[in-house]
Amino acid sequence: MSANLPESFQLIFHDSPLGVAVLIGAKPDSLENALLLYANPSLLRLLQEWRPDRFDLVHLISDLCISDEEESLFPLPTDSSTESAIITKLTLDNSSERWLEIRAQPTTILGEKGYFFWFSDITATKTKELNALNEAKLADAAAQAKSNFLATMSHEIRTPLQTIFGMMELLSEENPTPIQNEMLNAAKNSADGLLEILDDILDLAKVEAGKMELDEFELPLRTLVYGLIEALEAKRRENNIYLKTIIEQDVPYVIHGDPKRLRQIMTNLLGNALKFTDYGGITVRVSCKTVHLALEENKIGLRFEIHDTGIGMSTEVAARLFQPFVQADNSTTRRFGGTGLGLSIAQRLVELMEGKIGVHSTAGEGSVFWFEIPTCA
């Protein structure tokens, strides 16, 4: 449709997939007295599909300029270097839906001020965007439901477990025979293992639900590290291996951080190393020589390394080791036990501290677990 427009102008837009309209006499806040000079075939087809019973094209275009969400293209811009735009959803006469991006740009044509209107069909893009948004919402809901379930089940199991601990403590005070004492110790060890698993599940649920919060205190780093090593002394003797610590001189004596969570990360990594090291030993190294951190001003980086001479692992296993419930293989679970949650939780905690974690390992030659975190002295 055109009125007094050169044929060369019409040819430019005739085959365009975009809907195009040219109006003159429009006011910034209304198309009431506007004259439609041109509407290309793409726009005419759209208007026919949307309102086949109406033929007042100017009013139809005006209606399109106000979206279902009450967003409006009005007032129209008056500077030819600017344009206004909205996104609107149409329900066509056949009940299908179509998303449009509508833009208006001032122009001068045939000596009069007017507007170009552009109508872009963005249905495919908008549908993908909405589908992705719905999938994200469903994934968030599923993650929240899983976290709630894990937290509830952990709590429900922990309550009777505390009673079991109490009963075993009472039994141990009843002068049990050596055989009975051995049975009690076995039961206590099993209960301790179950309690450790519950703690891991609760921590994983908190992290996945985004409810894990870090505290910040002045933290005597050397005291924390040496205390951990001392706590593992009995296990070291049982394995008959060495366990040594190297803290480089440039490492601050006091840092700011969450001592509980830092201790938890190191306990998980050290416990893992002890579990898989039958000979040789383990070395804990702390330095300020970070490799993977981009530090902000007034921040320092700490790098923790746990070297062991244990069984090691292949590159393929190392690549998936920090996923929840993952161990090297089924034989590892049967021989050494565990759920595979410890490393996953350590990774989540390090990331919560805005740090990085990883492992270098060779099968049969041991492993080096490392993590780096930013802090300030």
Side-chain angles (χ1 to χ4, degrees):
M1 177 180 181
S2 64
N4 302 321
L5 284 178
E7 184 176 354
S8 58
F9 178 94
Q10 299 175 43
L11 289 174
I12 294 174
F13 300 109
H14 185 274
D15 296 322
S16 171
L18 301 181
V20 181
V22 182
L23 288 84
I24 59 173
K27 297 178 181 179
D29 58 353
S30 171
L31 301 184
E32 185 176 354
N33 297 315
L35 173 66
L36 179 66
L37 293 185
Y38 175 75
N40 75 340
S42 291
L43 178 58
L44 293 176
R45 284 193 298 271
L46 172 66
L47 296 177
Q48 177 68 20
E49 292 174 2
W50 181 42
R51 294 286 188 268
D53 55 335
R54 291 179 57 182
F55 304 98
D56 187 342
L57 299 185
V58 173
H59 281 134
L60 286 176
I61 292 172
S62 180
D63 290 346
L64 280 176
C65 291
I66 301 176
S67 75
D68 291 341
E69 290 75 22
E70 300 303 324
E71 293 184 44
S72 175
L73 202 62
F74 300 108
L76 300 173
T78 56
D79 185 348
S80 60
S81 64
T82 62
E83 65 177 24
S84 58
I86 61 166
I87 293 175
T88 188
K89 181 175 70 173
L90 303 182
T91 301
L92 304 183
D93 189 55
N94 62 4
S95 298
S96 64
E97 293 182 344
R98 187 171 300 179
W99 287 90
L100 293 181
E101 181 185 49
I102 305 172
R103 291 176 289 129
Q105 184 176 29
T107 187
T108 300
I109 192 164
L110 300 178
E112 295 193 45
K113 291 183 178 180
Y115 287 92
F116 272 112
F117 287 86
W118 314 89
F119 302 82
S120 306
D121 187 339
I122 60 169
T123 303
T125 302
K126 192 67 177 178
T127 299
K128 288 181 181 178
E129 178 185 321
L130 292 174
N131 288 341
L133 185 62
N134 287 334
E135 288 175 4
K137 287 181 178 178
L138 289 173
D140 288 342
Q144 184 65 48
K146 182 179 72 173
S147 296
N148 290 341
F149 172 77
L150 290 174
T152 301
M153 289 304 299
S154 297
H155 175 75
E156 293 300 322
I157 295 172
R158 180 185 291 273
T159 301
L161 188 59
Q162 296 297 338
T163 302
I164 293 172
F165 271 112
M167 291 298 102
M168 287 191 297
E169 190 65 32
L170 290 174
L171 284 172
S172 66
E173 296 175 1
E174 294 296 321
N175 297 319
T177 66
I179 293 178
Q180 290 172 335
N181 201 49
E182 187 176 333
M183 292 178 179
L184 276 172
N185 287 335
K188 284 181 180 178
N189 289 337
S190 296
D192 284 334
L194 180 56
L195 191 60
E196 184 179 332
I197 292 171
L198 289 176
D199 287 338
D200 284 347
I201 291 174
L202 279 172
D203 283 339
L204 185 65
K206 283 182 182 179
V207 172
E208 291 193 341
K211 294 180 180 178
M212 178 74 77
E213 296 182 358
L214 297 177
D215 294 319
E216 185 167 330
F217 302 104
E218 288 191 347
L219 192 165
L221 185 60
R222 285 169 171 77
T223 302
L224 184 146
V225 174
Y226 291 136
L228 277 174
I229 299 302
E230 186 177 342
L232 295 171
E233 179 62 20
K235 183 65 176 176
R236 180 201 70 78
R237 290 180 181 175
E238 182 183 325
N239 287 14
N240 195 27
I241 59 174
Y242 65 80
L243 182 55
K244 63 181 181 180
T245 306
I246 302 172
I247 301 179
E248 297 188 6
Q249 290 185 353
D250 59 344
V251 174
Y253 281 84
V254 177
I255 63 170
H256 285 79
D258 188 326
K260 179 181 177 182
R261 298 307 175 186
L262 181 57
R263 188 182 296 110
Q264 185 176 1
I265 295 167
M266 293 195 66
T267 298
N268 282 345
L269 297 182
L270 281 166
N272 201 64
L274 281 166
K275 184 187 297 184
F276 296 107
T277 304
D278 292 329
Y279 62 89
I282 299 167
T283 301
V284 179
R285 181 185 296 273
V286 185
S287 73
C288 291
K289 297 180 177 67
T290 57
V291 179
H292 303 278
L293 294 182
L295 295 171
E296 299 177 2
E297 190 177 355
N298 300 325
K299 290 279 188 176
I300 59 172
L302 291 177
R303 181 178 175 89
F304 298 79
E305 297 177 355
I306 290 87
H307 301 248
D308 69 63
T309 58
I311 61 175
M313 69 196 84
S314 66
T315 304
E316 293 76 14
V317 170
R320 57 187 176 86
L321 195 61
F322 290 96
Q323 299 173 19
F325 305 106
V326 168
Q327 291 195 336
D329 54 38
N330 290 334
S331 63
T332 299
T333 303
R334 289 194 299 269
R335 180 182 173 192
F336 297 101
T339 60
L341 283 175
L343 292 179
S344 176
I345 292 169
Q347 181 189 43
R348 307 292 180 91
L349 291 175
V350 169
E351 290 173 350
L352 201 58
M353 296 176 181
E354 301 181 349
K356 302 288 184 181
I357 189 171
V359 60
H360 306 297
S361 186
T362 303
E365 298 183 11
S367 305
V368 180
F369 284 86
W370 59 266
F371 66 96
E372 297 178 354
I373 55 172
T375 185
C376 53

